[in-house]
Amino acid sequence: MTASYLPTLSSAPRSFLCPQRTSSLSSATGRRNPVFHPVKPAADCCSTKNPASAWTSARHERWEGDLAVEGQLPAWLKGTYLRNGPGVWEVGSTAMEHLFDGYATLVRVSFRDGRATGAHRQVDSDAYTSAKSHGRAIHREFAHCPTNNPNNNNNLLDRVIDLVGLVTGTSLTVNPNTAVARLSDGRVVCLSETTKSTTLIDPETLGTIGKFTYTDGLSGKSRLLQLLPLQSAHPVVTETEFMTVLPDLNSLVTRRRPGYLVVRMEAGSNERKVVGRVECRGGPTMPGWVHSFAVTENFVVVPEMALRYSAASLVNNSERASFYALDWIPESGSYLHVMCKRTGNTVASVEVPPFVVIHFINAYEEKRHDGQPTAVVVDGCDHNGDPAILDALTLHSLRSLRGKDVLPDARVARFRIPLDGSPYGELESALDPEEHGRAMDMCSINPAYHGKKYRYAYACGARRPCNFPNTIAKIDLVDKTAKSWHENGVVPSEPFFVARPGASDEDDGVVICTVNSDGGGSYTLVLDAEKFQEIARVRFPHSLPCGFHAFWIPDKM
Ligand SMILES: CC(=O)/C=C/C=C(C)/C=C/C1=C(C)CCCC1(C)C
Ligand SMILES: CC(/C=C/C=O)=C\C=C\C=O
Ligand SMILES: [Fe+2]
């Protein structure tokens, strides 16, 4: 295969590539201006002096070709590594503010017979295509509020438009920039936190097939007051089903207590069925932010963080909460709820110390001699109970504070939830956070150990000083130690564990991770998971933007 660049962003109008250099484009109607806060221009955006970095928008709409291999790829490594993440933060007159705002960019590396081919491509979501055609972002992203600007009248009409947009799901993002997963029926989806963002893609061409439409009417389409436009960005996908958590926002329009629905969808189906509803404990507020959750053999663990969806921000697109569309309300309490997968009943609900966990790592049951579960252990990447991590991930901080030690501390939080009716759960650090540089996030484990007692987690860690994780860490939860891979100035994405076929040891396999290097290049690393040493790297011919989560699709035998 030879390399092929398909429609490139560099052939797009200049204003699309580099908004900072163009005179401002006003919105078509003039009623709502596009950019709400003065956004600091990206220091390196389009600069000829600075090479592209992890925080530079993708310069090509699409590329595919052969990848140069350094080192020796294992002969058994046959399949496709996919990575999702935000890759375009500037469109027309809009320069996004936050890392989480960027339009989805997919990366593929296929390994076969010791060789590698690669590709990357923008997802053609409605959010991205409409931003291109309007010359500005028109959907609300994590931090980006298209209507939040000083000229917005914030009058009754604005509010009605925002509320209708929320109920019908038209104002919130459909930009699936977070996770990628293959359903057990073979369909591949990428997704983010709105149900409407779920998008079917072709894992070979990375082309966008279309929206994944849920046929159950749970997301507000057929029942006007059923306010379920949001979902966890990380469904749990097994051989037989897809399971996820939907924050129930009905408390915005009814007197119902806030809560969460746990839903499951069988392989081959588009219909989610409700397993059960968990009621929030945290006062008459909104549900806590649920980016991810955890499952064990018998239970679903639903987190209720004190970092809650902001009612005011959701019903008024121009109103910013203390953390974008989220409010930090520590006095509302932090809880973990345990739902039985079979009955949908909440079998435990405990209060725990404040935590800020974007990603749960794994969970498992402690059992009595007769096999009866007595407690649930849940591990998560905890930003020491402080939402400041969200501000550390603004593009301005990432671009301008390189090398400064401003990345907030994080640890592996181990929660223990007794199943005997106790009102409180326990929380401790699973190991000394110094082991992984007092930062850790974007984790994976050997997928065969999901829901089971396990020993190893792989995550991005830190070698200080840094403003973003810059190591890949293997965390041993038994020995309470961590090994790290690091090169100066790197920006890694989620390290993804792939087991060697026939392996019996938990760490018998490789860890695959796509990295941005200091000088502006990008490569995909293959590490021996046991020794945690690099065995090969495959280089892309140009720099890619940073990425988040990955997935592995083995070749058919
Ligand atoms: C990439 C990542 O870690 C998180 C992405 C989160 C997103 C896109 C969340 C967006 C939103 C909320 C947190 C609250 C409701 C509005 C909405 C924009 C969907
Ligand atoms: C990039 C990130 C956290 C880094 C913290 O150190 C979280 C990404 C979330 C994507 O889903
Ligand atoms: Fe995530």
Side-chain angles (χ1 to χ4, degrees):
M1 187 195 271
T2 50
S4 62
Y5 286 85
L6 290 120
T8 63
L9 295 183
S10 47
S11 64
R14 206 64 199 132
S15 59
F16 171 57
L17 268 176
C18 184
Q20 289 83 9
R21 288 199 191 153
T22 58
S23 54
S24 70
L25 296 176
S26 56
S27 80
T29 61
R31 195 174 73 84
R32 292 160 185 256
N33 274 347
V35 182
F36 69 102
H37 257 218
V39 177
K40 302 264 185 341
D44 54 2
C45 172
C46 304
S47 159
T48 46
K49 284 197 207 120
N50 295 316
S53 82
W55 326 119
T56 306
S57 292
R59 286 176 173 165
H60 311 285
E61 197 64 60
R62 180 181 176 192
W63 176 87
E64 61 184 307
D66 294 326
L67 299 178
V69 179
E70 292 167 26
Q72 187 104 39
L73 290 168
W76 59 260
L77 191 65
K78 292 179 183 165
T80 294
Y81 156 90
L82 293 175
R83 189 193 77 173
N84 194 359
V88 170
W89 296 276
E90 285 88 18
V91 176
S93 57
T94 303
M96 303 289 200
E97 180 182 349
H98 200 277
L99 175 64
F100 295 173
D101 288 344
Y103 293 111
T105 305
L106 289 169
V107 172
R108 167 176 72 72
V109 182
S110 300
F111 298 96
R112 246 149 248 146
D113 307 320
R115 296 204 201 132
T117 59
H120 66 88
R121 187 166 177 171
Q122 291 310 118
V123 176
D124 280 325
S125 66
D126 288 351
Y128 182 54
T129 54
S130 64
K132 283 195 289 183
S133 62
H134 286 79
R136 66 187 170 101
I138 63 166
H139 288 82
R140 181 171 191 164
E141 301 294 337
F142 179 79
H144 180 76
C145 302
T147 61
N148 187 353
N149 70 83
N151 297 335
N152 183 14
N153 294 328
N154 199 9
N155 57 23
L156 190 63
L157 180 64
D158 282 328
R159 281 171 177 271
V160 170
I161 290 172
D162 289 345
L163 192 60
V164 169
L166 178 67
V167 173
T168 58
T170 48
S171 63
L172 299 184
T173 181
V174 278
N175 167 24
N177 70 1
T178 307
V180 53
R182 186 172 70 152
L183 310 185
S184 28
D185 53 41
R187 294 178 292 176
V188 178
V189 291
C190 41
L191 25 72
S192 184
E193 297 200 8
T194 55
T195 52
K196 287 194 163 207
S197 69
T198 314
T199 304
L200 285 162
I201 58 121
D202 178 334
E204 186 56 39
T205 63
L206 302 185
T208 304
I209 296 170
K211 278 193 182 152
F212 183 98
T213 315
Y214 299 105
T215 54
D216 44 55
L218 275 177
S219 302
K221 220 172 170 187
S222 59
R223 291 179 228 171
L224 199 60
L225 291 184
Q226 181 126 2
L227 260 182
L228 298 163
L230 305 180
Q231 63 184 3
S232 156
H234 293 284
V236 171
V237 180
T238 65
E239 290 289 295
T240 52
E241 67 182 11
F242 163 108
M243 187 173 259
T244 196
V245 173
L246 313 178
D248 180 349
L249 306 184
N250 273 291
S251 53
L252 279 175
V253 283
T254 67
R255 294 171 75 89
R256 194 166 188 193
R257 269 188 88 78
Y260 302 93
L261 292 189
V262 174
V263 296
R264 58 157 47 118
M265 189 172 75
E266 278 175 23
S269 162
N270 283 36
E271 189 185 346
R272 296 162 302 176
K273 293 194 174 137
V274 177
V275 176
R277 186 178 191 276
V278 162
E279 217 162 68
C280 286
R281 301 255 312 273
T285 56
M286 293 282 281
W289 183 30
V290 60
H291 181 77
S292 71
F293 63 99
V295 296
T296 69
E297 215 180 309
N298 295 294
F299 306 112
V300 183
V301 182
V302 181
E304 184 185 341
M305 278 201 277
L307 186 59
R308 296 175 184 274
Y309 299 100
S310 157
S313 187
L314 279 167
V315 296
N316 180 355
N317 252 338
S318 59
E319 185 155 333
R320 271 278 274 266
S322 48
F323 287 92
Y324 313 98
L326 306 166
D327 276 320
W328 177 236
I329 316 174
E331 63 280 11
S332 68
S334 304
Y335 309 89
L336 291 172
H337 310 278
V338 180
M339 183 186 286
C340 172
K341 281 184 192 170
R342 194 173 45 81
T343 62
N345 293 336
T346 303
V347 296
S349 174
V350 292
E351 184 162 8
V352 290
F355 62 95
V356 172
V357 171
I358 304 176
H359 296 116
F360 284 89
I361 305 170
N362 197 19
Y364 58 88
E365 295 161 21
E366 285 179 355
K367 292 187 177 169
R368 272 192 329 221
H369 293 304
D370 62 359
Q372 197 62 22
T374 52
V376 172
V377 175
V378 195
D379 293 339
C381 311
D382 173 33
H383 295 275
N384 284 7
D386 187 344
I389 181 62
L390 295 176
D391 282 341
L393 300 178
T394 59
L395 291 162
H396 180 63
S397 301
L398 296 170
R399 287 166 174 159
S400 64
L401 300 177
R402 212 169 142 247
K404 303 270 188 311
D405 203 16
V406 293
L407 180 66
D409 290 2
R411 57 163 175 176
V412 181
R414 175 156 284 187
F415 300 91
R416 195 171 165 280
I417 310 168
L419 296 177
D420 60 1
S422 309
Y424 297 106
E426 296 154 22
L427 167 56
E428 59 173 27
S429 295
L431 74 165
D432 180 349
E434 292 291 347
E435 285 286 328
H436 47 76
R438 289 179 284 108
M440 61 94 44
D441 209 309
M442 294 187 287
C443 48
S444 78
I445 64 165
N446 180 334
Y449 288 75
H450 275 145
K452 301 185 185 144
K453 194 155 187 191
Y454 72 119
R455 176 166 184 175
Y456 302 111
Y458 308 92
C460 297
R463 186 168 297 179
R464 306 274 172 174
C466 59
N467 68 338
F468 192 80
N470 58 359
T471 70
I472 309 173
K474 173 184 181 181
I475 295 171
D476 183 332
L477 293 159
V478 172
D479 280 358
K480 299 183 183 293
T481 55
K483 289 179 186 163
S484 297
W485 176 96
H486 169 76
E487 263 175 25
N488 261 343
V490 290
V491 175
S493 51
E494 176 189 86
F496 197 84
F497 178 86
V498 177
R500 185 180 62 78
S504 51
D505 287 345
E506 187 181 331
D507 59 351
D508 185 353
V510 293
V511 166
I512 307 181
C513 180
T514 300
V515 168
N516 280 80
S517 70
D518 202 19
S522 295
Y523 50 88
T524 299
L525 274 175
V526 180
L527 306 177
D528 173 299
E530 196 239 309
K531 300 192 183 75
F532 218 56
Q533 282 166 2
E534 177 177 338
I535 49 178
R537 66 175 67 183
V538 297
R539 277 186 199 278
F540 279 82
H542 50 268
S543 189
L544 303 172
C546 74
F548 288 156
H549 298 291
F551 203 78
W552 174 253
I553 304 180
D555 279 355
K556 288 200 186 91
M557 291 299 179

